[in-house]
Amino acid sequence: KGMGTENAMPRPNVTGKMLTKVIEYCKWDLEHPTPASDDNKEEKSTDNILPWDADFCKVDQATLFELILAANYLDIKPLLDLTCKTVANMIKGKTPEEIRK
């Protein structure tokens, strides 16, 4: 018989480097909780990034996209929101041609 997939281990989707960054973010988030907001508008705004969060996301584009994938794969919504807001701010006001560069 061939090997079954019932006991297959999932292939890691997060590198050690990204896991280190994710843990750094999670530690900061745990030690510095932001008050919950009832305002959905604030959640959708891309202008409300805290200074530490902005510094955390000052990485090269490839790393930023790896962080998005890691946050999504590991289901860390605050990190996913932060990294997506960062990308949104990067492309805000640019033409499609400028974004492709």
Side-chain angles (χ1 to χ4, degrees):
K1 278 187 167 184
M3 294 184 77
T5 58
E6 299 84 37
N7 296 322
M9 292 288 291
R11 196 170 138 240
N13 290 330
V14 182
T15 65
K17 177 184 170 188
M18 284 305 105
L19 189 56
T20 300
K21 288 287 285 179
V22 168
I23 291 170
E24 177 188 353
Y25 175 83
C26 289
K27 283 182 179 178
W28 171 265
D29 193 51
L30 184 65
E31 294 168 1
H32 304 86
T34 51
S37 173
D38 293 332
D39 187 14
N40 280 345
K41 194 182 291 183
E42 183 177 312
E43 189 175 298
K44 292 177 183 166
S45 170
T46 60
D47 298 329
N48 60 344
I49 297 177
L50 300 173
W52 187 92
D53 290 343
D55 285 341
F56 178 82
C57 288
K58 284 184 184 169
V59 294
D60 61 85
Q61 191 170 326
T63 300
L64 185 59
F65 286 116
E66 280 188 66
L67 276 171
I68 290 172
L69 293 174
N72 185 49
Y73 179 74
L74 297 170
D75 197 25
I76 303 172
K77 187 177 180 337
L79 180 56
L80 183 60
D81 289 346
L82 169 63
T83 50
C84 288
K85 284 179 182 184
T86 301
V87 171
N89 285 336
M90 289 168 61
I91 64 174
K92 193 186 297 183
K94 293 187 177 179
T95 65
E97 292 78 28
E98 291 172 320
I99 294 169
R100 287 186 198 105
K101 291 181 183 178

